[in-house]
Amino acid sequence: MTRRCELTGTLPLSGNLRSHAENKTKRTFRPNLHVVTLLSDVLGRKVRLRVSARALKTVEHRGGLDAFLLKADNDVLSPTCLKLKREIQKAQASKAAA
């Protein structure tokens, strides 16, 4: 399983540890991932996702999971989130048609 945020696509980065003596040692900077349960207002159900702390702050800032997914680019979302985004768009379209 990749250490990848399902909402933003954040991956581990590589860099150097620098000691006081300026020795260089390769290291990885991993994203701060958490398994969270988010509520979809449109679908009325809970969704478990593995997201970074930064993505969780962004979801709250944008007004919830539905607003975040509708505004997000498709190329950074995971297949689970893409499916969820399509379901939300269908539910909103049927709600607007009724």
Side-chain angles (χ1 to χ4, degrees), residues 1 4 6 9-10 12-13 17 19 22 29 37 46 52-53 60 71 77 79-80 98:
M1 183 176 211
R4 181 186 184 114
E6 292 190 62
T10 305
L13 299 172
L17 279 172
S19 68
E22 294 295 328
F29 295 93
T37 304
K46 298 175 186 176
S52 64
E60 293 297 321
K71 195 171 181 181
L77 295 175
T80 308

Side-chain angles (χ1 to χ4, degrees), residues 36-40 43 45-49 65 80-81 84:
V36 295
T37 304
L38 298 171
L39 180 67
S40 171
L43 300 177
R45 68 172 195 207
K46 298 175 186 176
V47 182
R48 282 187 69 185
L49 296 172
L65 180 64
T80 308
C81 291
L84 191 62

Side-chain angles (χ1 to χ4, degrees), residues 43-76:
L43 300 177
R45 68 172 195 207
K46 298 175 186 176
V47 182
R48 282 187 69 185
L49 296 172
R50 192 174 187 205
V51 300
S52 64
R54 171 66 59 187
L56 196 56
K57 283 179 69 174
T58 308
V59 167
E60 293 297 321
H61 179 74
R62 287 194 185 167
L65 180 64
D66 300 335
F68 179 89
L69 288 175
L70 292 175
K71 195 171 181 181
D73 291 333
N74 289 343
D75 55 340
V76 297

Side-chain angles (χ1 to χ4, degrees), residues 7-27:
L7 293 177
T8 59
T10 305
L11 290 168
L13 299 172
S14 62
N16 290 315
L17 279 172
R18 297 302 294 254
S19 68
H20 186 68
E22 294 295 328
N23 296 332
K24 295 184 283 286
T25 308
K26 290 301 272 184
R27 65 155 291 182

